[in-house]
């Protein structure tokens, strides 16, 4: 039996499938055109940045290794003296399918516990049962396209503009602002003081905007998890399988800042470039770069809500109440050794998110806007095989939200059910990126290279909240999550103007104790209560989701 060429199989899969789109922002070829360098100068596997690419980004889009201005003006002057305006375009086309088990089938009927008579009864299939699953396939377009422009206005001022079309499963496609910021570099003559202003990311341990697996839009549970809302709604194959039109959260939570998103922020960023960045040996102890990022983020965002939805109505439909005038701080401190830690050397980090309640009027029960919630964690990146051949990355986080930061969903339970106790959970993930190098088959980096990605995510609730006036308590496993993912990315073509990658991905997730499907103004995930003020005795079920995508990414 003849073994198939894996590259040919992947190429065939990607090219014969019907187009769709995934919600990931990728590389930007404008920098390659500005400096007249190939994309692989900054990318080990598009869109993953190499150490050189990370240094370039940290230094405000400059090639300088010292952090000081090098005189290049990317806005008006290319290095060879030609007039050039930096602009790029990205789109991603894919086709996929999903199998979802453990959700009620809307066409069948069966009473669920102490069911609200106003809610149409449905059949509830146990996890993995033949009556509880459904399969769907097709094209999906969370972000059909984005336009990108970024670079230097001067050696000390950089900018980024990224409008595009957003199409989440709960609303119709709409124009949105993915990022829009300006950065002032080397203030007071030091690299320790740089400021961002606008809609920008928080410098999280591993950005979803650089994620190599995008099957479910949100491959890192700690970045997107919203307590009270079933994770399977946010992070699964429900859109493929005909679910996900809306969701009923069990309760609202003060922490609305999903770390995957960019927010309106004033962000301080400082770095100190040390002399240990040139090592290509594993497990170096030579200090390379110390980095500190602190984001000040108001709950009231500049463009729509911080969760990315354009309107308060859309936010409420997704289980997030309107914001108030509170604020949050996100801090991330890292130290690298022997390299930046992306493809060489190691990096360790500490991060924390502390914020005021983002809950405003959610029915008649309003949480205190003065209460603080906290998130703390650590992250680590190592490269047992240097130069990007094998990178291992992980992060761990613990979250504590007090009772004053929670509100039982008035749409389910009615008003006046304040929380008696708060919640606590911990979450962690691991990722391995392996880039095999076989002479004559796969290149070591850039066009012609291939990368295999493995991810593991888990979240465990440590303490479930208790609400006054609600007869039963949430089960201990409510909204626990575990997921595994595998992907392969092949960099088909790369130049100073264009990059094309092929990908195939699969992700499996189990979301424990989140319930059934109900139909009341749309298909929704429920199973945790009724409008009579009682958590259901029989509506808590495990839901599993298995999602596959294959397609092509294009950037110009």
């Amino acid at each position: 039996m003849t073994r198939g060429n894996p590259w040919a199989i992947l190429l065939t899969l990607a090219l014969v499938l019907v187009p769709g789109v995934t919600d990931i922002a990728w590389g930007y070829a404008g920098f390659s055109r500005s400096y007249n360098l190939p994309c692989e100068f900054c990318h080990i596997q598009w869109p993953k940045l190499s150490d050189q690419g990370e240094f370039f980004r940290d230094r405000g889009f400059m090639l300088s290794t010292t952090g000081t201005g090098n005189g290049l003006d990317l806005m008006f002057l290319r290095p060879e003296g030609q007039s050039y305006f930096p602009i790029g375009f990205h789109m991603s086309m894919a086709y996929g399918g999903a199998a979802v088990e453990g959700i009620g089938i809307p066409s069948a009927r069966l009473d669920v516990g102490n069911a609200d008579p106003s809610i149409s009864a449905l059949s509830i299939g146990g996890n993995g049962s033949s009556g509880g699953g459904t399969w769907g396939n097709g094209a999906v377009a969370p972000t059909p396209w984005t336009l990108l422009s970024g670079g230097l206005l001067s050696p000390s001022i950089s900018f980024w503009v990224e409008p595009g079309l957003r199409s989440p499963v709960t609303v119709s496609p709409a124009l949105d602002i993915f990022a829009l910021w300006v950065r002032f570099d080397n203030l007071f003559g030091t690299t320790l003081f740089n400021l961002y202003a606008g809609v920008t990311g928080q410098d999280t341990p591993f950005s979803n905007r650089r994620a190599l697996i995008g099957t479910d839009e949100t491959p890192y549970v700690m970045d997107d998890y919203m307590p009270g809302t079933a994770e399977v709604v946010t992070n699964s194959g429900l859109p493929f399988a005909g679910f996900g039109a809306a969701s009923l959260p069990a309760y609202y939570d003060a922490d609305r800042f999903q770390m995957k998103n960019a927010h309106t922020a004033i962000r301080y960023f400082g770095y100190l470039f040390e002399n240990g960045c040139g090592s290509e040996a594993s497990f170096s102890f030579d200090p390379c770069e110390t980095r500190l990022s602190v984001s000040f983020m108001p709950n009231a965002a500049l463009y729509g809500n911080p969760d990315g939805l354009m309107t308060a109505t859309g936010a409420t439909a997704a289980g997030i109440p309107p914001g108030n005038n509170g604020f949050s701080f996100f801090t991330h401190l890292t130290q690298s050794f022997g390299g930046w830690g992306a493809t060489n050397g190691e990096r360790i980090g500490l991060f924390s998110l502390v914020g005021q309640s983002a809950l405003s009027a959610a029915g008649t029960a309003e949480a205190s806007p003065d209460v603080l919630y906290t998130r703390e964690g650590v992250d680590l990146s190592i490269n047992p095989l240097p130069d990007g051949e094998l990178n291992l990355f992980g992060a761990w986080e613990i979250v504590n939200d007090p009772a004053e930061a929670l509100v039982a969903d008035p749409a389910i339970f009615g008003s006046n059910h304040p929380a008696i106790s708060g919640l606590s959970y911990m979450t962690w993930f691991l990722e391995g990126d392996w880039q095999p190098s076989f002479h004559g088959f796969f290149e070591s980096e850039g066009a012609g290279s291939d990368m295999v990605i493995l991810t593991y995510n888990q979240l465990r609730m440590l303490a479930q909240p208790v609400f006054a006036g609600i007869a039963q308590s949430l089960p201990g496993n409510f909204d626990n999550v575990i997921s595994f993912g595998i992907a392969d990315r092949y960099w088909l073509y790369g130049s100073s103007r264009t990059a094309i990658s092929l990908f195939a991905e699969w992700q499996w997730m189990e979301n424990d104790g989140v319930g059934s499907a109900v139909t009341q103004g749309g298909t929704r995930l429920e199973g945790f209560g009724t409008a009579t003020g009682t958590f259901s005795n029989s509506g808590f079920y495990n839901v599993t989701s298995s999602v596959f995508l294959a397609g092509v990414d294009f950037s110009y």
Side-chain angles (χ1 to χ4, degrees), residues 10-77:
L10 178 60
L11 175 62
T12 303
L13 274 173
L15 294 184
V16 302
L17 296 177
V18 178
V21 184
T22 55
D23 186 18
I24 301 294
W26 301 113
Y28 169 58
F31 295 134
S32 297
R33 295 193 287 272
S34 297
Y35 283 100
N36 198 28
L37 293 169
C39 294
E40 55 262 34
F41 184 84
C42 284
H43 293 271
I44 188 71
Q45 170 67 222
W46 188 67
K48 181 172 180 174
L49 292 174
S50 64
D51 277 19
Q52 291 177 139
E54 298 286 2
F55 290 138
F56 178 76
R57 184 187 63 175
D58 282 358
R59 281 145 185 76
F61 304 147
M62 293 186 294
L63 289 178
S64 168
T65 58
T66 63
T68 59
N70 57 11
L72 291 177
D73 186 340
L74 299 188
M75 186 70 177
F76 302 108
L77 185 66

Side-chain angles (χ1 to χ4, degrees), residues 90-223:
H90 171 257
M91 65 181 233
S92 181
M93 303 189 302
Y95 191 84
V100 181
E101 297 284 341
I103 296 180
I105 301 173
S107 61
R109 300 179 62 82
L110 178 68
D111 289 340
V112 182
N114 183 23
D116 178 356
S118 68
I119 298 176
S120 301
L122 301 170
S123 69
I124 303 302
N127 184 42
S129 71
S130 59
T134 183
W135 161 264
N137 61 281
V140 61
T143 307
W145 55 265
T146 60
L147 296 175
L148 310 95
S149 183
L152 297 181
L153 298 175
S154 76
S156 60
I157 302 177
S158 53
F159 76 99
W160 188 265
V161 180
E162 189 177 350
L165 190 65
R166 187 187 296 274
S167 177
V169 297
T170 55
V171 297
S172 300
L175 289 174
D176 200 358
I177 302 296
F178 290 82
L180 176 58
W181 52 259
V182 61
R183 171 175 152 171
F184 303 94
D185 295 316
N186 299 304
L187 298 177
F188 309 109
T190 174
T191 62
L192 294 174
F193 207 92
N194 311 280
L195 285 179
Y196 289 82
V199 179
T200 180
Q202 302 113 291
D203 191 34
T204 52
F206 198 103
S207 171
N208 282 71
R209 312 240 322 153
R210 293 287 176 190
L212 296 169
I213 293 183
T215 297
D216 48 20
E217 303 181 47
T218 51
Y220 309 116
V221 172
M222 72 170 56
D223 283 2

Side-chain angles (χ1 to χ4, degrees), residues 466-487:
V466 176
F467 296 92
I470 298 180
Q472 314 237 9
S473 298
L474 287 163
N477 70 337
F478 172 66
D479 219 5
N480 285 348
V481 182
I482 185 171
S483 71
F484 299 92
I486 183 171

Side-chain angles (χ1 to χ4, degrees), residues 10-11 67 168 255 370 450 537:
L10 178 60
L11 175 62
D255 177 9
D370 299 321
D450 186 82
N537 281 320

Side-chain angles (χ1 to χ4, degrees), residues 221 225 396-399 423-428 456-464 476-484 508 510-513 542:
V221 172
Y225 187 79
W396 173 89
E397 177 190 46
I398 189 165
V399 178
L423 65 87
S424 178
Y425 66 87
M426 64 179 178
T427 179
W428 58 95
Y456 161 71
N457 284 258
Q458 191 162 1
L459 183 144
R460 283 294 175 262
M461 296 294 298
L462 302 177
Q464 295 284 358
N477 70 337
F478 172 66
D479 219 5
N480 285 348
V481 182
I482 185 171
S483 71
F484 299 92
W508 176 87
E510 178 174 299
N511 195 182
D512 292 346
N542 297 344

